[in-house]
Amino acid sequence: MVNSRQKTKLATRKKGRALDLAETIESFASLQNTCFEPVLKPEYVYRLMQQESDYFDLGQKIIQKMLNSPDPETVMLELPGALADGFGADYCLIAAIASDTATLDTAYWYSGNPVATPQQRLNPALENLVKATILAGKNPLAIPDTDAVEIDQSSLSKLEDKPFGAVLGTTTQFQGQVNGVILLMRSRLSRAVGISRPHNWTQKEKEQLLALSDSIAMVISQAQLHRQVRTALKHQSLLNNLTMAIRSSTDLDRILKLAIDGTARTLEVERGLILLLKYTDPQLKSHSKGPLPRAKVTVACESSAFEQSQDNQNVGTFLNQSFWLSECVLCQQTFNNSPALTVIADKADFKHDLTAGIAPIFAQNVMPSLLLVPLESKDTVLGFLVLQQRQPRAWLKDELELAELVSAQLSIAIVESQMQRQILALVEERTTHLKSSLAVQAKWYEKTRQQLEQQRQLNQLKDEFIDTVSHELKTPLTKMRMAIQNLRRPALAPDKQAQYLDILEQQCNQEINLIQDLLALQQLESKKVRLHVQRVDLKYLIGDLAQSFDATWAQKGLTLAVEEPARSLMLQTDLDSLSRILQELLTNAGKYSDPDTTVNLKVACPVDGQTPQIVVSVSNIGAGISQHEQAHIFDKFRRGRGVTEQAIAGTGLGLALVKSLVQHLNGTIAVSSYPSQQYQDAWETCFTLSLPQM
């Protein structure tokens, strides 16, 4: 027998254990969150300790799990199984409720497995039971047989996939707000006889569930807080990465890919798209002005964790595919309602008039859950952010907020990219114009420089011409004056008189020839000279010239070597012009030949051309002509370097006259100068004349 002293001692011991347990709970709450208050009061715990030992063990197990586990999510996965075992139930559901929206956050379903299965969406039977439990308030929901109960205007007996029969449920409250629902369920079939049998829940079972609800509320709150912190960190990490990418990179495609991949991964959606709009008329981009603008919608980026299978084989890649904005009512609705989001949790949320005009990229039959966020900047819709799920999904408030923040940053990146492209295009256009302007200026500068150079050369030629003409005119005039003065001397001997008359005649002829050359050159350049064509035998002409030059060159030691065909060389040409050309070429060769050398005159009749020609070349050995001087050797008054110092007579008109006469005869003339192989430190200069035989 237990006396009264022993009973008092036992009660005192139980009360002490209850006070210790309450202090443990209070210390745990203070560590988790300073705003927590002890849920289990000492007096209430003391009353609980008076119940059956198995219930006390269950409560202690929950508390120990809370204290020992660093992750509240792990406790939530094991808690439904512990409750089912403690109450002898076959199934258990603990649903975490978002207190701000009173919607399902996460449900943990136990059906016999060691660990519960987390679910984001419940089947209709469980969803109706959760709603009924919340409506019941603080009173437990006790259903002996679900087949005989009607909830939310529908009979639970008609619902498929409902293995349970009896249900006991209650809400959990934390800090005065409902944060969860507990449902204990027994199987519809009796384990003993294998038939469906109702179960009447006892008052003690209801009280035990109510007593445990406060502890479970704390576990749910901790799990929600832990999930919110983890979700907030993931969201902030995504936004930080996106911000850094926008700041450090100008590659819009890379930014879009980072945004859609990160958002899809953070929100754990199966498919994400970024659609960009291209307006045909940039003036009609605002969604608040009149009718729908004509715009092309293009899939700029996509992210998919959707595995190809028989059920979803129609969901492939839509990258770079386009459609008109007017062809999709979903895009039109989001465009017109911007900046509001289009949120569709399930296919049933689609309005009847929306099902016909939806773009194929949304794959409505395979991906019923949809979140469509407009990308907007200054009342202009730039595109859309699309998130899709294969299973129905209730989009949470923090998920919608994250999608809006991501869309805002994407809008900034798109606008910056557009501005950068416009700036680059403007810079490129200005650069092109500047280059064109500089090129024009460079051409004008070069043309002006050439004109100045040409003017300088003309001035130089004029000065040289004046110097040459002055010399060529003054020298004969001086000699003529001296001859006249000498002829006036009295008692002049007849032989002296004849000598001075010869000088006077010679110098007068030289003046006349100079003036005639100038006049002839001017007439040839003005095309005023008529061509007198006649039959000429070149061999006789060359023979006469050779005899006259042999006598002239004898004093200088020059010889003329003529090389010509044996047959006669007949051609139709102007005899006076041809004779003057050959005479000027031989005279020029004699002037610039070194003493005691040979001047070569060669005549050939090549037969390889279509028009019969006669080619005459005159070459001599002397100082040579540079490449630069060869380009101007036929210009008027142009003389080679050093001729003035060497006192070589001439006006610089001979070769210019030759060139004009050759053109007058429809022929060509060229010059070449190269080192001589026969004479050391000497050059061989050759003038080649080509004339048609007509």
Side-chain angles (χ1 to χ4, degrees):
M1 296 294 293
V2 179
N3 54 29
S4 58
R5 180 178 298 178
Q6 290 175 335
K7 290 182 178 179
T8 302
K9 187 175 181 180
L10 181 59
T12 302
R13 184 181 303 169
K14 289 183 177 180
K15 184 175 182 179
R17 290 172 59 190
L19 292 174
D20 293 339
L21 181 57
E23 292 175 357
T24 302
I25 296 173
E26 184 175 2
S27 63
F28 171 77
S30 63
L31 289 173
Q32 296 293 324
N33 195 328
T34 56
C35 67
F36 291 166
E37 296 179 1
V39 177
L40 301 180
K41 302 297 182 181
E43 294 80 3
Y44 189 69
V45 176
Y46 176 74
R47 185 171 64 83
L48 291 177
M49 296 299 300
Q50 310 302 317
Q51 298 180 3
E52 300 292 336
S53 59
D54 56 347
Y55 165 64
F56 173 78
D57 292 340
L58 180 58
Q60 191 177 29
K61 182 178 180 181
I62 294 174
I63 299 300
Q64 290 298 323
K65 282 289 183 182
M66 288 175 56
L67 293 174
N68 297 332
S69 177
D71 185 8
E73 188 72 17
T74 304
V75 179
M76 291 298 301
L77 293 174
E78 297 178 357
L79 187 55
L83 285 177
D85 292 341
F87 283 85
D90 299 299
Y91 307 98
C92 179
L93 175 73
I94 298 179
I97 304 298
S99 58
D100 55 345
T101 59
T103 57
L104 177 66
D105 186 356
T106 305
Y108 301 88
W109 169 252
Y110 170 79
S111 59
N113 296 323
V115 179
T117 304
Q119 298 181 357
Q120 301 295 330
R121 192 175 179 92
L122 299 175
N123 61 39
L126 292 177
E127 186 175 358
N128 288 336
L129 286 174
V130 169
K131 292 179 180 179
T133 305
I134 295 176
L135 293 175
K138 296 183 179 181
N139 300 319
L141 176 69
I143 301 176
D145 187 2
T146 55
D147 290 341
V149 176
E150 188 174 289
I151 297 178
D152 196 18
Q153 298 181 355
S154 63
S155 175
L156 292 177
S157 62
K158 298 180 181 179
L159 296 175
E160 299 179 358
D161 193 21
K162 183 177 67 65
F164 51 85
V167 178
L168 176 62
T170 186
T171 59
T172 62
Q173 295 189 10
F174 184 76
Q175 295 183 346
Q177 292 184 337
V178 176
N179 72 337
V181 171
I182 307 172
L183 293 177
L184 295 171
M185 291 157 278
R186 289 182 177 272
S187 176
R188 298 175 61 193
L189 299 178
S190 174
R191 295 176 180 175
V193 297
I195 59 175
S196 177
R197 179 175 297 175
H199 174 75
N200 294 317
W201 298 95
T202 65
Q203 184 63 28
K204 185 171 69 173
E205 290 174 326
K206 298 177 183 178
E207 292 178 356
Q208 290 176 351
L209 185 59
L210 285 173
L212 288 173
S213 65
D214 290 335
S215 300
I216 296 174
M218 181 180 289
V219 178
I220 293 175
S221 178
Q222 292 300 305
Q224 289 177 328
L225 179 61
H226 186 270
R227 192 180 305 112
Q228 290 173 0
V229 172
R230 185 172 55 191
T231 301
L233 291 176
K234 290 171 63 178
H235 291 186
Q236 190 60 45
S237 176
L238 170 62
L239 296 176
N240 290 341
N241 293 337
L242 189 55
T243 302
M244 292 299 297
I246 294 175
R247 290 179 180 177
S248 61
S249 176
T250 58
D251 187 356
L252 181 61
D253 292 337
R254 176 178 174 273
I255 295 174
L256 296 180
K257 184 62 176 174
L258 175 66
I260 195 61
D261 287 345
T263 305
R265 182 171 56 254
T266 301
L267 297 183
E268 297 179 355
V269 297
E270 293 174 305
R271 187 164 177 253
L273 301 173
I274 293 180
L275 312 180
L276 296 183
L277 288 177
K278 184 176 182 180
Y279 296 88
T280 56
D281 187 355
Q283 301 298 327
L284 302 175
K285 296 191 293 185
S286 176
H287 61 82
S288 61
K289 295 181 181 180
L292 188 72
R294 184 170 176 80
K296 201 78 170 179
V297 185
T298 303
V299 181
C301 194
E302 68 177 345
S303 176
S304 177
F306 209 51
E307 297 181 357
Q308 295 296 318
S309 64
Q310 187 68 26
D311 296 334
N312 55 39
Q313 58 184 353
N314 294 327
V315 182
T317 177
F318 289 93
L319 189 63
N320 297 326
Q321 295 193 22
S322 301
F323 58 91
W324 291 105
L325 179 62
S326 58
E327 296 174 349
C328 181
V329 292
L330 274 178
C331 293
Q332 294 177 37
Q333 175 183 331
T334 308
F335 181 90
N336 292 325
N337 296 335
S338 179
L341 286 64
T342 299
V343 182
I344 299 175
D346 195 359
K347 188 187 302 183
D349 296 337
F350 281 99
K351 295 181 181 179
H352 179 71
D353 58 348
L354 292 180
T355 57
I358 298 177
I361 66 166
F362 292 106
Q364 174 196 354
N365 294 329
V366 182
M367 311 287 281
S369 183
L370 171 69
L371 177 60
L372 195 59
V373 187
L375 307 177
E376 186 185 40
S377 174
K378 296 182 180 180
D379 205 30
T380 299
V381 178
L382 306 172
F384 306 100
L385 172 65
V386 182
L387 300 174
Q388 288 185 279
Q389 191 76 15
R390 180 174 53 181
Q391 299 297 331
R393 174 171 179 163
W395 299 95
L396 302 179
K397 181 180 178 182
D398 59 339
E399 295 175 339
L400 300 180
E401 291 176 350
L402 176 65
E404 288 180 325
L405 291 174
V406 171
S407 67
Q409 292 200 341
L410 286 179
S411 300
I412 294 174
I414 294 172
V415 170
E416 289 182 351
S417 177
Q418 292 176 347
M419 291 181 60
Q420 185 178 24
R421 286 201 300 268
Q422 293 174 358
I423 292 173
L424 289 177
L426 181 60
V427 170
E428 185 176 354
E429 180 182 359
R430 295 291 177 83
T431 303
T432 303
H433 289 168
L434 180 59
K435 288 181 178 179
S436 178
S437 177
L438 291 175
V440 171
Q441 292 181 10
K443 289 180 180 179
W444 279 107
Y445 172 79
E446 180 62 21
K447 187 174 182 180
T448 303
R449 189 194 65 80
Q450 292 177 356
Q451 290 176 347
L452 292 175
E453 178 65 21
Q454 185 178 8
Q455 186 65 36
R456 186 191 65 79
Q457 293 177 358
L458 289 176
N459 291 334
Q460 183 178 357
L461 290 176
K462 181 187 68 173
D463 295 338
E464 292 177 356
F465 169 72
I466 293 175
D467 292 341
T468 303
V469 171
S470 298
H471 179 268
E472 295 297 327
L473 289 174
K474 287 181 179 180
T475 300
L477 290 175
T478 301
K479 292 181 179 181
M480 291 169 66
R481 178 183 294 178
M482 292 178 61
I484 293 172
Q485 290 175 355
N486 289 327
L487 286 173
R488 288 179 177 178
R489 286 166 47 185
L492 183 65
D495 57 339
K496 289 291 184 180
Q497 186 177 9
Q499 180 181 358
Y500 291 141
L501 288 175
D502 291 339
I503 294 175
L504 186 61
E505 183 181 8
Q506 180 183 0
Q507 297 303 318
C508 183
N509 291 334
Q510 185 175 345
E511 292 290 325
I512 293 173
N513 291 335
L514 175 61
I515 294 172
Q516 287 179 345
D517 288 345
L518 289 172
L519 293 175
L521 187 60
Q522 189 275 333
Q523 290 178 351
L524 288 169
E525 289 179 347
S526 61
K527 308 294 183 181
K528 294 181 179 180
V529 179
R530 296 182 62 182
L531 189 65
H532 300 284
V533 178
Q534 63 185 71
R535 189 174 179 82
V536 177
D537 189 346
L538 188 58
K539 292 188 66 174
Y540 287 107
L541 179 60
I542 293 175
D544 294 340
L545 290 173
Q547 291 179 2
S548 64
F549 277 96
D550 282 339
T552 305
W553 290 347
Q555 185 177 359
K556 193 176 180 180
L558 296 178
T559 58
L560 177 62
V562 178
E563 181 181 341
E564 56 186 355
R567 62 182 178 84
S568 63
L569 300 173
M570 305 301 297
L571 72 161
Q572 297 286 338
T573 187
D574 188 326
L575 177 60
D576 293 338
S577 298
L578 179 58
S579 177
R580 184 64 184 274
I581 291 170
L582 295 176
Q583 186 176 7
E584 288 293 338
L585 290 177
L586 290 172
T587 301
N588 188 75
K591 284 182 182 181
Y592 298 100
S593 294
D594 291 340
D596 302 322
T597 58
T598 301
V599 176
N600 295 296
L601 191 154
K602 297 181 181 180
V603 182
C605 298
V607 294
D608 54 345
Q610 295 181 356
T611 302
Q613 288 184 333
I614 291 180
V615 178
V616 180
S617 63
V618 178
S619 60
N620 68 285
I621 304 299
I625 305 173
S626 66
Q627 289 288 337
H628 175 71
E629 291 177 339
Q630 289 178 27
H632 305 281
I633 195 65
F634 295 104
D635 295 345
K636 289 183 293 184
F637 310 115
R638 174 73 68 168
R639 307 190 70 194
R641 292 183 180 180
V643 295
T644 304
E645 293 81 356
Q646 298 175 19
I648 300 176
T651 61
L653 295 176
L655 291 179
L657 186 61
V658 167
K659 180 69 175 289
S660 297
L661 290 171
V662 170
Q663 292 176 348
H664 182 61
L665 298 178
N666 297 322
T668 60
I669 189 168
V671 62
S672 61
S673 187
Y674 45 87
S676 174
Q677 298 180 355
Q678 183 179 0
Y679 297 93
Q680 188 176 3
D681 298 331
W683 287 63
E684 182 175 350
T685 302
C686 179
F687 288 87
T688 303
L689 171 66
S690 300
L691 294 174
Q693 284 188 296
M694 297 185 182

